[in-house]
């Protein structure tokens, strides 16, 4: 079969997309070939999602052409895209939680039986057939809200397949998956490839891209800066293309000349709590950033919750400035100078419908008063100050924060809490889903904060950034902490990874 | 993952209690408990007589019909507060038109009154994106005022025997007409909710509007449709009031919106959209009628009835709420 002569499944040429005066895509070309995994990379705001939404009919292109299997197509809405055979697995899941798996797969294309009535059983059988073909076990009659997020994704893939999609777009598909679920997804991607389905794989994770993708297109500021086969590229080359002129070496440790006799700000001794924590001890001196490493479920987040007063320890003691504390509520912890930046910014860190300004000033409203009422001027000044100081890229600080990219949202979260003047900042996965450029900026903010004599507990599963920012690292395994590793103890990232994996490896 | 699969199948009570999400089925439990309590304490007052049972059905038919339509509205994550007023308005419009122009124009006019108001509600919500709570709150006052205005607050008698027979006054042998209306409304509602594409679109719109829109569902049209349907159903309820009580009055249906919404929520429909339980709604509505009937038989004053009814609704809704 002369595969080379076949036109690509999708050929996009000179795609331009503007939102008002802002050009988000500037003449983007991209070919997606049947049976390949095509990685799409770039920083947040580079135009990845917009490009895919254009293909999916969520947005309309300003100019340019799209061909599907050699035929020019006009995609004005999602129905057009569907007819052209393009399916999308959305990052923000797009299922109806209250409906069953089968009902979701065939939503708006219900299988009809007698008298034109919806035939759920036929839909269930059809769904079962799709899942069998994929080698996955999901009950088509199960309600989606009762399924884990890994299954949601499978349901979305099945939904796309049921529409005979020849191109499936996966936007950060592993973001909410556990390790073994990621393996299952990769197996599934292999199955789809064998069927000749093209997959566009949007991801920030180099290891995943290098593992599953055949080709890669990198976008920066709305332009294609790299389009190549993945096998010929090193991770460093890809990263360089993504972040451009900035050096990848931003993720390098900077010695901030800590003095060993700075006072101890936070001390935890043998902390245990009901659930996961068995015995965790660590100390953080003024000016120090302590990294907390460990696998998912090792007790990292649980420890952060205890320090922030959300959970109470069943054993052990917590001291601040050498004085023992017992926090009854998170507010008590805040009053003692502890701020927690939680893991999930969308759920816990931000009010998404509110503006950047409202989100920034929410924790410090008490300071924004003049004569008992909120002072608009103080609010405006504080917002301007924070937006500048933390380099938040927002075209309008009074527009809803949901319009910002993930990295900028996270900057707002960090800015908001640092502005409350805490002395101990606990950060749980502060850079997840954030592009490398923003990541280095956040790390700088953290370093700067610590250098002013504050303490930081930095929790992360990304070792490069942990190694870049932490002055010492505590590894936690199955609820127990090791002795802290100082910089000279850490030989390499690989060795640290082995320590974290511990007996489980 | 498998636990969700048995929800609609009949099973042993113990299994039902442990495996089912009992909170969303609280209405059946509440209904049975209250029924048994009334049977024990009010049996001697004639609670269990066939006549009393049929009375409950007769009195709840209007609520049931409005509640079936309201189930679609709430499943689409909207609300319609104007149903009681629409019923009152439709009752006087149909009565006046029947008296002046005859049976068929009277029926058409009554339904048209509800359809127009429903279309205005739906249009404002779908096109101008005004929250349905506000639109229908305004319409509640508007329709009630209109009904009072055009009748100068006077009752509008209906003398047309056929009208009275069709709309609730008549019986089919031993079967009261009101029972037939209820059964038809519930059957139709169940079929549309569970076995048509429209029902799915309503649930999808209420369950996750973004996902529904991405799937190609015109959610604005769905919102318009449910409010239109609710208006028409409310008009039919108003005509049933007019038929059963042989007159149209602006007071008919006043305050029904609260009973209707309570019935729907008690029945297991999520106030946040995405779920619509038609059979639950029927039992929710019958439950409201049951309590009314029992409290009257127990000899409570109107004021006391209101207190007890309110307390029972709050308790049931609180129990049915998910953690």
């Amino acid at each position: 079969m002369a595969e080379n002569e076949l036109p690509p499944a999708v050929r996009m040429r000179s795609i331009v997309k503007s939102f008002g005066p802002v050009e988000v895509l500037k003449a983007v070309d991209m070919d997606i070939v049947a049976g390949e995994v095509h990685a799409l990379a770039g920083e947040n705001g580079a135009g990845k999602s917009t490009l895919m939404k254009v293909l999916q009919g969520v947005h309309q292109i300003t100019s340019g052409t799209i061909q599907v299997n050699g035929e020019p197509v006009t995609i004005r809405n999602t129905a057009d895209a569907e007819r052209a055979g393009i399916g999308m697995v959305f990052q923000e899941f797009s299922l109806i939680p209250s409906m069953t798996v089968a009902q979701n797969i065939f939503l708006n294309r219900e299988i009809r039986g007698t008298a034109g009535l919806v035939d759920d059983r036929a839909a269930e059988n059809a769904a079962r057939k799709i899942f069998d073909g994929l080698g996955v076990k999901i009950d088509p009659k199960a309600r989606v809200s009762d399924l884990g997020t890994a299954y949601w994704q499978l349901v979305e893939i099945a939904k796309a397949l049921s529409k005979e999609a020849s191109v499936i777009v996966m936007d950060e598909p592993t973001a909410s998956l556990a390790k073994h679920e990621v393996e299952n997804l990769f197996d599934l991607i292999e199955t789809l490839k064998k069927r000749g389905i093209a997959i566009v794989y949007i991801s920030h994770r180099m290891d995943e891209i290098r593992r599953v993708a055949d080709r890669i297109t990198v976008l920066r500021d709305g332009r294609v800066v790299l389009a190549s086969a993945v096998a010929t590229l090193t991770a460093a080359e890809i990263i360089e293309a993504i972040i451009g002129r900035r050096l990848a070496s931003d993720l390098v440790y900077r010695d901030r000349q800590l003095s060993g006799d700075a006072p101890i700000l936070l001390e935890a001794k043998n902390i245990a709590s009901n659930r996961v924590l068995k015995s965790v001890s660590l100390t953080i001196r003024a000016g120090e950033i302590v990294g907390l490493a460990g696998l998912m479920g090792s007790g990292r987040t649980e420890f952060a919750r205890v320090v922030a007063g959300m959970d109470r320890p069943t054993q052990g003691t917590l001291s601040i400035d050498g004085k023992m504390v017992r926090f009854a509520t998170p507010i008590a912890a805040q009053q003692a100078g502890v701020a927690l930046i939680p893991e999930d910014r969308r759920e816990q860190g931000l009010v998404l419908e509110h503006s950047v300004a409202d989100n920034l000033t929410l924790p410090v409203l008490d300071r924004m008063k003049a004569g008992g009422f909120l002072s608009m001027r103080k609010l405006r000044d504080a917002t301007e100050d924070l937006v500048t100081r933390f380099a938040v890229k927002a075209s309008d600080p009074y527009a809803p924060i949901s319009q910002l990219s993930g990295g900028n949202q996270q900057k707002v979260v960090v800015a908001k809490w640092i502005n409350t003047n805490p002395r101990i900042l606990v950060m749980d996965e502060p850079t997840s889903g954030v592009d490398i450029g923003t990541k280095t900026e956040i790390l700088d903010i953290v370093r700067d904060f610590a250098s002013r004599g504050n303490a930081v507990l930095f929790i992360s599963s990304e070792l490069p950034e942990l190694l870049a920012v932490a002055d010492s690292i505590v590894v936690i395994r199955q609820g127990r902490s090791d002795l802290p590793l100082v910089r000279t103890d850490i030989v390499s990232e690989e060795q640290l990874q082995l320590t974290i994996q511990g007996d489980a490896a | 993952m498998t636990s969700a699969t048995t929800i609609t199948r009949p099973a042993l009570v113990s299994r039902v209690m442990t495996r089912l999400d009992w909170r969303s089925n609280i209405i059946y439990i509440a209904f049975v408990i209250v029924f048994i309590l009334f049977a024990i304490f009010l049996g001697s007052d004639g609670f269990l007589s066939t006549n009393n049972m049929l009375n409950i059905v007769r009195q709840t038919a209007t609520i049931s019909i409005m509640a079936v339509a309201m189930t679609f509205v709430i499943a689409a994550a909207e609300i319609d507060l104007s149903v009681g007023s629409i019923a009152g308005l439709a009752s006087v419009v149909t009565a006046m038109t029947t008296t002046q122009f005859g049976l068929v124009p009277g029926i058409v006019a009554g339904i048209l009154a509800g359809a127009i108001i429903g279309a205005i509600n739906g249009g404002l919500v779908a096109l101008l994106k005004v929250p349905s709570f506000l639109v229908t709150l305004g319409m509640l006052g508007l329709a009630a005022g209109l009904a009072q205005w055009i009748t100068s607050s006077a009752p509008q008698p209906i003398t047309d025997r056929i009208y009275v027979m069709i709309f609730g006054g008549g019986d089919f042998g031993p079967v009261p007409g009101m029972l037939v209306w209820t059964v038809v409304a519930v059957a139709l509602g169940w079929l549309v909710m569970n076995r048509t594409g429209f029902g799915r679109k309503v649930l999808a719109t209420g369950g996750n509007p973004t996902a529904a829109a991405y799937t190609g569902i015109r959610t604005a049209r769905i919102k318009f449709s449910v409010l239109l349907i609710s208006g028409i159903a409310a008009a039919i309820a108003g005509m049933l009031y007019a038929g059963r009580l042989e007159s149209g009055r602006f007071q008919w249906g006043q305050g029904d919106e609260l009973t209707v919404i309570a019935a729907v929520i008690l029945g297991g429909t999520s106030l946040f959209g995405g779920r619509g339980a038609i059979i639950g709604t029927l039992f929710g509505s019958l439950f409201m009628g049951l309590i009314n009937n029992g409290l009257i038989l127990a000899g409570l004053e109107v004021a006391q009835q209101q207190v007890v009814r309110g307390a029972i609704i709050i308790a049931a809704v609180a129990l049915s709420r998910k953690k």
Side-chain angles (χ1 to χ4, degrees), chain A residues 53 56 58 78 82 90 93-99 103 107-108 110 112 116-118 120 137-139 141-143 145-147 151 159 163, chain B residues 1-5 7 9 191 194-201 203-209 211-217 273-275 322:
Chain A
K53 281 184 177 158
Q56 179 63 16
V58 176
T78 51
E82 217 167 83
F90 288 92
F93 294 107
S94 67
L95 300 175
I96 316 289
S98 53
M99 289 187 172
Q103 286 170 353
L107 181 60
N108 212 19
E110 286 82 8
R112 306 299 169 122
L117 296 179
V118 173
D120 271 333
K137 282 206 179 68
I138 294 181
D139 184 348
K141 283 186 280 192
R143 214 179 270 278
S145 56
D146 294 337
L147 298 178
Y151 292 99
K159 185 172 170 182
K163 297 178 197 167
Chain B
M1 192 175 120
T2 48
S3 63
T5 61
I7 279 178
R9 296 186 196 160
L191 210 61
N194 296 297
R195 289 285 180 270
T196 67
F198 177 74
R200 288 298 147 79
K201 289 176 193 174
L203 292 171
T205 302
N208 183 347
Y214 278 15
T215 314
I217 293 169
R275 267 175 214 220
K322 275 197 178 182

Side-chain angles (χ1 to χ4, degrees), chain A residues 350-428:
Chain A
L350 294 171
V351 185
L352 283 175
E353 300 81 31
H354 288 186
S355 70
V356 176
D358 287 348
N359 271 287
L360 280 171
T361 51
L362 184 61
V364 291
L365 285 178
D366 287 344
R367 285 198 257 141
M368 298 291 140
K369 284 179 185 161
F373 292 100
L374 286 175
S375 153
M376 289 303 125
R377 192 149 58 96
K378 281 187 182 175
L379 285 171
R380 199 181 56 225
D381 292 350
T383 304
E384 274 171 17
D385 170 53
L386 288 169
V387 166
T388 324
R389 203 142 55 89
F390 293 91
V392 177
K393 292 193 191 85
S395 54
D396 175 9
Y398 298 95
I401 198 163
S402 53
Q403 291 177 2
L404 263 58
S405 69
N408 274 305
Q409 288 184 5
Q410 187 67 0
K411 273 197 214 162
V412 171
V413 176
V414 173
K416 161 177 145 178
W417 286 113
I418 287 185
N419 190 39
T420 62
N421 297 326
R423 299 177 58 220
I424 300 165
L425 184 62
V426 182
M427 311 177 92
D428 196 355

